[in-house]
Structures are given as C-alpha cells and as structure tokens.
Amino acid sequence: MTRLRSVPRDLYAAAAAVLLVAAAILVGRHVYTYDDLIVGWPPLLGRWDPHLGPGTPAAVLVAAATAAYGPAVAARLPWRALLPAAWGAAMAWTWSLALIDGWERGVAGRLATGQEYLTVIDRWRDIPATLRDFNGHILLHSPDNWPAHVAGHPPGATLTYVLLDRIGLGGGGWAGVWTITVGATGCVAVLVAVRALCGERLARRAAPFLALAPAAVWMGTAADGYFAAVAAWAVALLALTVTGRSLWWTAGAGLLFGWTCYLSYGLTLFAVIGAAVLLLGRRGVGERPVMFVPLLAGMAVVPVAFTVIGFDWWEAYHLLVERYYEGAAGVRPYAYWVWANLACTVLITGPATVAGLRRAGVVLVRRRGEGDARTEDLRLAFLVAAALLTLLIADLSGMSKAETERIWLPFALWLLPACAFLPRPRAWLAAQAVLALLVNHLVATGW
C-alpha cells in the first residue's frame, strides 16, 4: 500500500522534470540566440525535423514488446539467459532508432562528418609518430589542428577507429556497427554490477529499463556510447572482485579504467563511482586488500604505454581546456547550461529515472527497516546517488556546456537502475519509449 501511495509523488517528480525540459526549450529559444548557445534546438544539439524512416516500424515494435513483456521476461529468465537477452534488446532498440534516420544519416555518416574521428584516419599512417605529435595540433591556431572531437578527447578514441581501419573494418558503416554493438554491452555491464552489489532481484527489475533507455537515441552512433560501455565494464569487473570473484577481474577493471581515461578526459570522474563500489564492497576489500595490487597494476598499463610512446596526457588536457574556451565554450553561457544540461539528462534517462531517483533519495533518507531486501535497496540507492554526484560534478565544473545528451551517456547508464524501485514498470517503460520515439522522430540529433 505504501508503494502505491507514493505513486502520485513519482508523477510529481516526473512532471517537474518535464517542466525543466520545457523551461530549457523556451528559455533557449526565446531568451538566447543561436550565436549564444550554438545549438540548433536547445537544449539539444540538433534541429527541428519531423520525419519517419525505415527504422520506425521496428522501433515501435521493440518498444511495445519490451514495455509489455520485458518485466515478466526479466523476472523469469535464468540469469545466464537474461544477460544476452538484455544485450539483444538493447541492440534492437538502438539499431531501430538509428535507422529511423536511414543507414547513411543514422549510422554510416555519423562518425564521418567534418568534426569526427574518421576524417583524420589518413593522418595516422605512423601511429607512434602521430601520438608524439598529437598535442601539437590541439589548439585552434595550431597547424593542421585536429577536428573538434579528435582534439576534445585523448587519442585512444581516434586510435580505436584507426585500428578498425587497419584490420579491414574501415569506413563509417563498420565504425557505426562497432559503436552500437559495443555500446549496447554497457547495459549488461550495469546489470552485472547491480547483481553483484545489490542483489539479483533489483538487477532483474532494472533490466528492461536499461534495455529500453531513451539514451539509445544517442548511443547509435555517438562514440560516447562505446566509451560508456568501456567505463561500465570497468565498474562491473571491480564489483565482481569486491564481492569475492578472482583477483584477475580487478586487473581487468584497472586496465579498462586506464583505457577509459584515454578515451575521454571527463571520464576520470568514474573514480567516484569506483570509490562507491569499493565502499559497498568494503568487507571483501578488507578480507583481500591485496586486490589493490592488480588493480593499480592494471590501471598503469595504458598510461605507461602512451607515455612511453610520447603522448603527454596532462599537457593535452590543459591544451584542450585552452581550446575549449577558444571555441564554443567561451561563448555558451554557464548560467543557462548549468541547469539546461540537467534537462538534457532528463531526455536521455527519461521520466522513469527521475521518479526512480526520487525513490532512491527516500531510501537513503529513511535508513530504517530490517532484512536483506531493505539492505539491497539501500545499496542500490547509494550506487545511483554516487552516479548522480559524478554527473553533478561534471556539470558544475563548467567543462560540460551543451551536448551533454551525448557526453554524459556514460554517467546516464548508472542512473537508470534507479527505475528498479518503481511499481507498475510497464507504464513507466511505455513513458520511456514514447519519449525516445518522439525525440528521434521530431528532432534531427547531431554532434
């Protein structure tokens, strides 16, 4: 009865989120100009473009099937079958949304536009030499300066697509396939971590929401979807270790966290979520403190390799900050984006996540009750609170002004498990799906 009584409060939270988005749209369109915000359809980077596409029927079908049957299937499937099923559903959802814009505009052309990674593949004929010279092309006034996304990330991001090209998987099509396929595994990684830290009951309840996330609009095919999956697996492997699995998982977690930091500078903030995992698994850490040896050893591999070759991460970061304020960030008003970024977060996580976060907050405030279920709820609430804290740090830093519907995908994945607290999951899943379908059909998203 208590759960049902709080449903109106969930709706109030979702309504407040809708008002936040509406305010961001109205203020962005009527108070500021394009030259102020440098986005076509504030708060999103895109333009108003109502359209249908070849992916429309599939997207509607996947949404309807997942909303109708997802909770029941997630509750009944054996765990080993649930993980590939969730991955498959996330793949189907992301692919169908991407194909609403057609193959070229929705998939193959996404990473091949003027500011993207594929435009510089030919400049990486000598990989070590290019890494040594990478920092010399970050600033806008430097000779042959890198396009925005190449300059805005450590070279691990571009190097991924260079290596795909080297093994014969060149071009935008293969880049899109890689990004969607790997990005969709982030759903599985979060489920693995939630089960290890918070119990299987909550992981099963979260599964349909992770598979049907509105974030899939941007997961196909922004490279940040790939970054999100790498970071998620780093956390998942760490969660497995602190709950008693082999220490080799810790080395893998460290290795992936090191690689994450060379995919995106901002994802160093995943250390906050990692610290939350260590705190939740403090009993396992106390029993096996030796796990820090493989963890730190794994974390050192990627930084040492890049440093030995000649790439200076810290220098590159400081140069990026300079370039950032030379360009759009020097124009975009902090007073708008510090809250409009949160409106973007509502659009990528959906109203269900807002309602779930409200319930997580209630769990954290009311630390009463007994039993394993109550303990599991508290642990999940703490985990999603750590993710929310990470996102807020990124927001307040001023290094995220606009385009956060793409940039914050890695953080958004860790907010979605809050939906496990919601009653009537089918209704909330339908709301999530409607939001994603509306955005994808009404706005031509871009980055």
Side-chain angles (χ1 to χ4, degrees), residues 92 155 158 164 172 246 253 293 311 376 389 393 439:
T158 308
L164 282 176
S246 168
V293 175
F311 170 72
E376 291 174 352
L389 174 63
I393 293 171
V439 170

Side-chain angles (χ1 to χ4, degrees), residues 133-441:
D133 193 41
F134 188 89
N135 291 356
H137 304 284
I138 292 177
L139 297 177
L140 278 175
H141 61 263
S142 60
D144 297 321
N145 64 81
W146 297 119
H149 286 194
V150 177
H153 295 83
T158 308
L159 185 58
T160 298
Y161 297 102
V162 171
L163 294 177
L164 282 176
D165 183 78
R166 292 291 176 86
I167 64 173
L169 303 179
W174 282 115
V177 169
W178 164 269
T179 303
I180 292 177
T181 302
V182 175
T185 69
C187 161
V188 180
V190 176
L191 289 178
V192 168
V194 170
R195 180 178 185 252
L197 296 169
C198 313
E200 191 170 312
R201 174 183 63 90
L202 291 171
R204 288 179 177 276
R205 290 184 61 84
F209 290 95
L210 283 157
L212 201 65
V217 172
W218 294 271
M219 296 284 279
T221 48
D224 300 78
Y226 155 53
F227 307 161
V230 175
W233 280 110
V235 175
L237 296 185
L238 183 61
L240 288 175
T241 307
V242 300
T243 53
R245 298 296 182 91
S246 168
L247 293 179
W248 286 107
W249 294 117
T250 318
L255 183 64
L256 289 178
F257 180 71
W259 183 239
T260 297
C261 294
Y262 278 73
L263 293 173
S264 174
Y265 297 104
L267 296 188
T268 54
L269 288 174
F270 257 79
V272 176
I273 299 177
V277 171
L278 291 174
L279 187 58
L280 288 172
R282 58 189 178 276
R283 177 179 298 178
V285 173
E287 293 172 353
R288 297 192 300 173
V290 71
M291 71 174 58
F292 285 103
V293 175
L295 177 64
L296 295 175
M299 288 173 59
V301 171
V302 173
V304 167
F306 274 89
T307 302
V308 168
I309 291 173
F311 170 72
D312 188 328
W313 190 97
W314 282 106
E315 178 188 51
Y317 174 72
H318 290 297
L319 289 170
L320 169 63
V321 173
E322 186 176 341
R323 170 160 175 165
Y324 187 58
Y325 286 99
E326 285 178 338
V331 177
R332 287 170 172 162
Y334 182 86
Y336 173 77
W337 288 111
V338 74
W339 60 273
N341 285 338
L342 301 180
C344 291
T345 305
V346 171
L347 291 172
I348 62 177
T349 59
T353 303
V354 176
L357 287 172
R358 186 202 73 80
R359 286 179 176 259
V362 171
V363 169
L364 288 173
V365 171
R366 299 177 182 173
R367 297 185 178 182
R368 300 174 184 174
E370 297 179 355
D372 292 340
R374 177 58 184 168
T375 300
E376 291 174 352
D377 288 355
L378 183 59
R379 292 169 71 83
L380 179 59
F382 182 80
L383 183 63
V384 297
L388 181 60
L389 174 63
T390 304
L391 185 146
L392 292 175
I393 293 171
D395 188 34
L396 295 174
S397 72
M399 284 299 289
S400 295
K401 290 195 286 187
E403 304 180 53
T404 51
E405 67 271 18
R406 167 185 61 82
I407 298 169
W408 286 356
L409 287 174
F411 306 133
L413 282 183
W414 294 94
L415 299 179
L416 291 164
C419 298
F421 293 126
L422 296 173
R424 301 177 179 175
R426 290 181 179 84
W428 286 110
L429 282 165
Q432 298 284 87
V434 168
L435 171 63
L437 290 169
L438 285 175
V439 170
N440 213 140
H441 283 92

Side-chain angles (χ1 to χ4, degrees), residues 70-97:
V73 171
R76 295 171 185 169
L77 271 183
W79 179 255
R80 289 181 180 273
L82 176 59
L83 294 180
W87 183 28
M91 285 268 285
W93 180 231
T94 307
W95 271 109
S96 59
L97 289 173

